[in-house]
Amino acid sequence: MSKSYAKNFLTNVIFRIDFSPILKIDTELPIELQEKVRMEFPEYNNKIENLIQTTKLPDGEIKLERPGIHNIHRIYNPKKNKTILIQYNFVSLENQKYINFHDFKNDVKNLYDVFSVIYRPLNIKRIGLRYINEIIIRTGNPLEWNNYINTKLISPIDFFNDKDTLSRIMTTSTINKEDLSINYICGIYNPEYPAKISRKEFIIDIDCYSHDYDENRVIEFLDKARKEAKLLFEKSIKKDLRSLMEVNNESQIS
């Protein structure tokens, strides 16, 4: 049976849809959308950015590509811990103070219901749900996670004889299921890099995505992705971390 918790270590939960370019988003403020979400997201600003892409050539050289200047529209809630981002080829909802899936799902649904009507039809290229956990423990050996994290995830630490010289140790895996894929990144990122690891901090980053969902199946994807992310998170942690999160009726990824 899946556990649920009163607390979490989530620093950001992100829902994002990438779609074929809609050029009028670059030239027009999303006034109609802003009006419909203004009760929950009353603050707006936009920033014009010259997006620069890089391509690594076969001979090892880096080629800079400048696709042009684009508007990035940002719409915030009053506390600025929830943000809608809109650009000519994507829309996202970011939550830096995640409480539960029910509220997050309602925010996504409300945003998508409005966005998909205004900018119909959407040719979805990618849809994603990402959970970023930044686990910070104030005391203890920064390389000792045996009682908090699945030992199979922290086994790379034991590969090194001189552990005190480590400045970062991260692993990346990709899982391809029938209806979605998952990029799973975990380890000791070390915000003080390239200095040696001195803080007891561990990252679990679960990014679920699909290239196959049409505009009528967005909420279906959200439910499936949440389920897969929750199962993977539970498999990643151990009893001492569960104790810190306090088993309750609200879930870490619920």
Side-chain angles (χ1 to χ4, degrees):
M1 182 177 178
S2 178
K3 290 182 173 62
S4 58
Y5 307 97
K7 301 177 181 179
N8 66 59
F9 290 97
L10 288 162
T11 56
N12 207 350
V13 179
I14 305 165
F15 177 80
R16 172 166 165 155
I17 296 175
D18 292 83
F19 44 79
S20 295
I22 300 174
L23 297 181
K24 73 175 182 177
I25 292 176
D26 254 354
T27 58
E28 298 178 7
L29 297 179
I31 296 173
E32 185 178 354
L33 184 144
Q34 185 188 8
E35 283 300 310
K36 291 184 179 298
V37 302
R38 193 155 55 90
M39 289 294 293
E40 181 70 19
F41 296 86
E43 299 190 31
Y44 168 83
N45 70 49
N46 79 307
K47 184 178 181 181
I48 298 175
E49 295 189 2
N50 189 4
L51 303 180
I52 300 175
Q53 298 176 342
T54 61
T55 303
K56 189 172 183 179
L57 303 177
D59 60 5
E61 291 189 11
I62 301 297
K63 176 183 177 183
L64 296 180
E65 299 177 357
R66 303 177 185 273
I69 295 174
H70 298 285
N71 267 306
I72 299 179
H73 307 281
R74 291 177 171 86
I75 308 174
Y76 306 94
N77 68 332
K79 294 183 179 180
K80 291 193 174 180
N81 54 31
K82 295 194 292 186
T83 307
I84 296 170
L85 279 80
I86 304 171
Q87 197 173 290
Y88 75 106
N89 61 352
F90 81 85
V91 59
S92 70
L93 175 65
E94 300 188 7
N95 189 328
Q96 292 87 33
K97 196 68 176 178
Y98 181 91
I99 303 300
N100 59 67
F101 181 70
H102 178 269
D103 292 344
F104 183 77
K105 181 178 178 179
N106 280 341
D107 285 340
V108 169
K109 187 177 186 304
N110 291 338
L111 170 62
Y112 182 71
D113 285 349
V114 172
F115 190 89
S116 61
V117 169
I118 296 173
Y119 297 108
R120 181 175 292 168
L122 281 181
N123 181 18
I124 295 176
K125 299 294 187 180
R126 185 184 187 276
I127 182 170
L129 176 64
R130 183 177 182 185
Y131 293 93
I132 303 174
N133 297 270
E134 185 178 336
I135 301 162
I136 299 175
I137 299 175
R138 302 298 179 186
T139 60
N141 186 331
L143 297 176
E144 178 55 63
W145 290 93
N146 288 330
N147 295 327
Y148 298 94
I149 303 296
N150 187 317
T151 53
K152 293 179 180 179
L153 295 178
I154 58 176
S155 61
I157 297 173
D158 294 329
F159 175 80
F160 300 95
N161 293 327
D162 193 357
K163 297 179 178 59
D164 291 339
T165 64
L166 291 170
S167 62
R168 178 172 290 169
I169 184 161
M170 301 288 293
T171 61
T172 302
S173 305
T174 300
I175 304 162
N176 286 320
K177 293 180 172 284
E178 183 177 346
D179 52 0
L180 58 79
S181 298
I182 304 171
N183 286 333
Y184 179 82
I185 302 171
C186 71
I188 301 172
Y189 178 76
N190 185 16
E192 297 176 328
Y193 177 89
K196 296 175 185 178
I197 295 169
S198 63
R199 299 182 183 183
K200 196 176 181 69
E201 300 182 8
F202 196 91
I203 299 293
I204 298 178
D205 183 342
I206 304 172
D207 185 7
C208 303
Y209 63 94
S210 175
H211 298 283
D212 297 329
Y213 276 79
D214 64 37
E215 60 181 307
N216 298 314
R217 301 176 63 201
V218 168
I219 302 304
E220 175 186 334
F221 164 83
L222 190 68
D223 289 331
K224 288 184 177 181
R226 171 254 182 170
K227 180 180 178 181
E228 293 292 342
K230 185 173 182 179
L231 290 171
L232 191 52
F233 180 81
E234 281 296 328
K235 189 175 181 180
S236 303
I237 65 172
K238 295 178 71 175
K239 62 178 182 178
D240 282 9
L241 194 63
R242 292 190 175 96
S243 295
L244 290 177
M245 294 191 298
E246 300 179 6
V247 176
N248 199 354
N249 60 359
E250 289 291 344
S251 175
Q252 159 79 349
I253 308 181
S254 69

